[in-house]
Amino acid sequence: MTGASKLDHQLDSKKKSQLILLICILLIFTVMNGTMFNVAVPDIAEEFGLMPSQVSWVMTGYILVFAVCSLMYGKLADIYPIKTLISVGVILFAVGATLGLIAPNYTTLIVARIIQAVGGATIPAFAFIIPARFLPDEKGKVFGIISSTVAFASGVGPIAGGLIGGVLEWRFLFVFSMFSILAVPLLRRWLPEEGKREGTVDFIGALFLTGFVSGFLMFVTTFNVWVLTIGFFSFILFVWRTLSVREPFIQPTMLKDRRYTTTVLTSFLGTSALFGMIFVIPIMLRDLYDMSTLGIGFVLFPGAIFAGFIGQFGGKLIELRGSQGVVVIALTLVGAGVLLISTFAGYSPWVIAICLLVTYLGFPLIQSSTANLLTTILPNERTGVGMGLFNLLNFMAGAVSSALFGSYLDLGNVSYLMNPLALSGDNMIYSNLFFILMLVTVVALSLFTWVFRGDENKKEEKQQHLASET
């Protein structure tokens, strides 16, 4: 019996349900903490007298630190007890929120957001590691619930931010995150005890990787060539370090497994399409329909609610069809959803809301199926760093898609319509964007099916060859 299975038997059904519920509540705190501040950026800029490029660091700095730390925590989880790491993380998350509430100047506000990101990164990082380690027999179902929670919180965040910021002021958005501190005693009580495992952390390699990720993310958000150069040289140093030390931060053998790299890349492309949709929809609704923040939230809300209720179904679907089958279904739904939005851009907002239902249906399925598939590919001793890299790339997907599509929207008008079924007019630039998102999902689906069906065919040929010999 594996260590994970022994720990699984230490948790009775009631404690399992409580732990899953607590993880989902904490996920709501962290996801909404990011999306709520999107609507508060103009108010923050006005209070501190900032230019758009300056105030953007409220979001950019948070995403940057959050993404890097999610990978670091994954590696640390392979060595140190999860109970300790996530407890410290939640405390830092609440401390950062408290500092943000009372921040007297913009510098203090940025420091508060960075502290929040360092702490908050533990929650999504461990949300996918905890089921794999402590609930192995139910991980498919739990991944579905977790992914639907993320989808739900992503849609509800702008509504909550608009309501809180409109009725009170932007500082009170931090109060919501401060309540996360109440979860620490429950985490200490419900998470199983673990001892420290053998292993070391290559902090030098982690530093080089951080430089690469930071340079890349800063480039896609600022298009500064100097930070891209720093990121490039950091990547060269990271590769050198990985090949020259006995225990590198990321084992090359893990990256050589094409099933792992394909699954991670598929998730990256699928998540890019999803977060690209979430980024573009509010801008489109404001531009084409002159909708308020609250109105935009209500267009997103049905899809977010729908995604929030299919978590249990997603887990059962994984059990019935297998992770590979659900990945194909999820990408098909996302591709169909963004194609519908591309086709009906310019129609009534409620038509767009119906199209969003299809896209949101694929949101929890793509994350839960790829996460569950990775747990079957990764060896137990590398689950933490493997899932950490998975989380890192998903966060990067959001930043990359937002930056690239934001730059495309800066073009203003386009003269060529990619989707022949769409309307011509002011909606053309948005129709083209969603058509591009559809093409991204087609690439992801083609790559995934090519690699995994190729592996299955090789297995069948090998079995037939062995059978013929006997």
Side-chain angles (χ1 to χ4, degrees), residues 53-85:
S53 59
Q54 294 173 303
V55 74
S56 66
W57 278 98
V58 172
M59 297 303 302
T60 303
Y62 183 86
I63 293 172
L64 179 63
V65 176
F66 198 90
V68 171
C69 287
S70 67
L71 175 58
M72 178 60 75
Y73 285 126
K75 178 65 176 180
L76 292 175
D78 287 335
I79 302 174
Y80 300 100
I82 288 179
K83 177 186 289 189
T84 301
L85 295 172

Side-chain angles (χ1 to χ4, degrees), residues 134-263:
F134 301 136
L135 308 168
D137 298 332
E138 304 175 40
K139 63 178 185 292
K141 179 183 73 174
V142 178
F143 285 148
I145 295 172
I146 288 171
S147 300
S148 61
T149 301
V150 173
F152 170 76
S154 298
V156 173
I159 298 178
L163 288 173
I164 296 173
V167 175
L168 299 170
E169 65 171 58
W170 64 267
R171 289 181 182 274
F172 285 89
L173 297 178
F174 284 109
V175 175
F176 182 78
S177 302
M178 289 167 60
F179 285 108
S180 61
I181 194 71
L182 300 176
V184 174
L186 301 178
L187 289 169
R188 304 294 300 173
R189 184 186 307 170
W190 292 339
L191 278 171
E193 295 288 344
E194 298 177 277
K196 182 178 179 296
R197 300 173 183 81
E198 292 185 4
T200 58
V201 179
D202 178 21
F203 287 104
I204 296 177
L207 180 64
F208 292 149
L209 182 59
T210 299
F212 163 64
V213 174
S214 302
F216 180 75
L217 285 177
M218 289 179 67
F219 171 73
V220 298
T221 53
T222 65
F223 293 100
N224 187 316
V225 177
W226 287 109
V227 295
L228 179 63
T229 303
I230 293 172
F232 174 75
F233 281 110
S234 296
F235 178 74
I236 298 298
L237 290 172
F238 171 72
V239 172
W240 166 77
R241 180 72 181 180
T242 299
L243 298 176
S244 61
V245 297
R246 180 178 297 180
E247 292 290 336
F249 187 72
I250 296 178
Q251 288 286 348
T253 53
M254 186 179 73
L255 299 178
K256 290 179 181 178
D257 187 337
R258 71 174 191 166
R259 294 182 306 154
Y260 173 79
T261 53
T262 299
T263 304

Side-chain angles (χ1 to χ4, degrees), residues 48 50 99 103-114:
F48 293 113
L50 302 169
L99 181 61
N105 51 54
Y106 185 60
T107 301
T108 307
L109 177 63
I110 294 298
V111 171
R113 289 289 283 170
I114 290 174

